[in-house]
Amino acid sequence: MREITPKRIREMKGREKITMVTAYDYPSALLVDKAGIDIVFVGDSLGMVVYGEPNTLNVSMEQMVFHTRAVAKAVKRALVLADMPFGSYEISVEEGVKNAMRLIQAGADAVKIEGGADHEELVRKLVRMGIPVMGHTGLTPQRYLRLGGYRIMGETEEEIEEILRDAKALEKAGAFAVVLEFTLADVAKLITEEVSIPTIGIGSGPWVDGQVLVWHDLLGIYENSPPFAKRYANLGEAILKALQSYNSEVKAGEFPGREHYWEFLDKKDFREKAQKALGRLGEK
Ligand SMILES: Nc1nc(=O)c2c([nH]1)NC[C@@H]1CN(c3ccc(C(=O)N[C@@H](CCC(=O)O)C(=O)O)cc3)CN21
Ligand SMILES: CC(C)C(=O)C(=O)O
Ligand SMILES: [Mg+2]
């Protein structure tokens, strides 16, 4: 059992801000855990930042299982959360249960589902079975086609009502937290006050119980980051410089240098061995 549990996350509301960052592979998950981040999150955003898709609609259960397994191997302390991808939980509660179990068996401590009111039954069933669930409302990227792109949510009375209904449904069904993505900050504040479970915001302002960012946005290794993401480093630039140095050093014959290879000290010894090896090959 890892140190950060859904119960701990729940208890952080009103006491300490919750931090969450995505990771999709072993080395990045090691670093997120080591940094003291509370939740290491295998998001379906991997479809975009790892696989180059224009949205998150083509992410499969297989991809989520493989990436979750790699991340889970690295994490000792943080809570490991895995996204349920598009198509893995909408058709029936049974399919949702089966797929959530696959993510748990791959090493996740909890799963995240987009939507709230529409999936109350699934959330309740998973929680009863012992699978902790995080909800997700506001901008739900899996509704990309209906929304006609990614945009801020909660401008109209109807949208505010929908977000409130989702958050309250999730609380009632037993979810341990809810992501509020790209809502007006006032709406996120209202939700945070209206529900007893922690709200984790992304692009929804400061009046929430925690924040989540995508690894590639935070580190500056993705060109199409959303406008609300903050770049804490410019690793894209650093990586490009390193690759250009390698390229020019190989072309110039400067790499590998003397410290990066091993040679026979006794050249005569080598010539004799090579002679014998060549001769033996010739006999065949
Ligand atoms: N790299 C990355 N970071 C994220 O935070 C993230 C993903 N990918 N993929 C899944 C969702 C999608 N997200 C997004 C992406 C773009 C905007 C956005 O508002 N972009 C433009 C407009 C784009 C459009 O017109 O479609 C903007 O300037 O508002 C918002 C949320 C947040 N999530
Ligand atoms: C944007 C976050 C919350 C997400 O769902 C993801 O990275 O997949
Ligand atoms: Mg997601």
Side-chain angles (χ1 to χ4, degrees):
M1 180 76 95
R2 297 183 176 99
E3 194 178 321
I4 309 295
T5 59
K7 183 167 168 283
R8 277 279 294 274
I9 297 293
R10 229 181 217 279
E11 290 165 357
M12 284 163 80
K13 187 178 175 96
R15 293 197 175 92
E16 180 188 347
K17 293 276 189 184
I18 298 156
T19 52
M20 169 162 146
V21 173
T22 70
Y24 312 103
D25 59 19
Y26 181 83
S28 55
L30 271 183
L31 290 166
V32 176
D33 192 39
K34 196 173 172 184
I37 303 289
D38 300 309
I39 304 174
V40 182
F41 171 43
V42 189
D44 64 347
S45 49
L46 73 83
M48 296 170 72
V49 297
V50 176
Y51 290 94
E53 297 275 347
N55 53 54
T56 59
L57 301 179
N58 290 311
V59 176
S60 67
M61 269 307 296
E62 285 67 35
Q63 285 173 312
M64 292 309 299
V65 164
F66 278 123
H67 287 275
T68 297
R69 188 166 287 136
V71 165
K73 288 228 177 82
V75 178
K76 298 281 178 281
R77 174 184 177 272
L79 182 96
V80 175
L81 176 72
D83 239 347
M84 298 280 288
F86 183 61
S88 70
Y89 59 96
E90 299 89 335
I91 296 167
S92 67
V93 169
E94 286 69 29
E95 272 200 53
V97 168
K98 188 190 80 190
N99 286 319
M101 280 176 164
R102 288 181 65 191
L103 295 173
I104 296 297
Q105 287 168 341
D109 300 312
V111 300
K112 181 167 78 57
I113 290 171
E114 283 190 20
D118 297 337
H119 304 296
E120 225 180 305
E121 196 189 335
L122 173 62
V123 174
R124 187 169 296 114
K125 177 121 194 222
L126 289 173
V127 173
R128 278 228 199 104
M129 289 172 29
I131 298 180
V133 180
M134 187 182 290
H136 179 159
T137 184
L139 170 60
T140 45
Q142 291 174 12
R143 295 195 181 98
Y144 176 79
L145 296 175
R146 193 194 78 196
L147 294 171
Y150 300 128
R151 61 171 176 88
I152 197 156
M153 306 298 290
E155 281 175 335
T156 66
E157 194 181 311
E158 289 74 23
E159 281 182 7
I160 297 171
E161 186 187 336
E162 193 180 328
I163 297 166
L164 256 173
R165 186 186 296 125
D166 277 346
K168 285 183 180 286
L170 288 162
E171 174 188 37
K172 185 159 156 262
F176 72 95
V178 57
V179 164
L180 296 180
E181 178 166 350
F182 211 12
T183 72
L184 288 154
D186 310 82
V187 176
K189 181 171 185 282
L190 173 72
I191 307 296
T192 302
E193 289 164 355
E194 285 289 325
V195 297
S196 62
I197 55 174
T199 57
I200 300 178
I202 174 163
S204 300
W207 307 310
V208 286
D209 300 306
Q211 296 290 332
V212 51
L213 274 184
V214 166
W215 169 269
H216 296 67
D217 299 335
L218 194 155
L219 297 172
I221 43 180
Y222 188 67
E223 307 80 42
N224 301 314
S225 292
F228 49 72
K230 179 172 173 182
R231 267 197 183 184
Y232 285 86
N234 231 320
L235 290 200
E237 228 177 84
I239 292 169
L240 180 63
K241 276 200 188 121
L243 292 169
Q244 287 169 333
S245 298
Y246 164 70
N247 189 51
S248 57
E249 284 195 7
V250 172
K251 303 274 185 195
E254 291 165 8
F255 176 81
R258 190 59 200 88
E259 69 276 32
H260 293 119
Y261 67 88
W262 293 261
E263 62 183 324
F264 273 90
L265 292 177
D266 184 347
K267 297 299 183 197
K268 186 163 155 274
D269 174 39
F270 171 64
R271 272 196 306 275
E272 283 168 10
K273 284 175 175 160
Q275 223 30 264
K276 281 179 191 157
L278 283 166
R280 230 177 289 160
L281 262 181
E283 284 162 21
K284 281 174 195 160

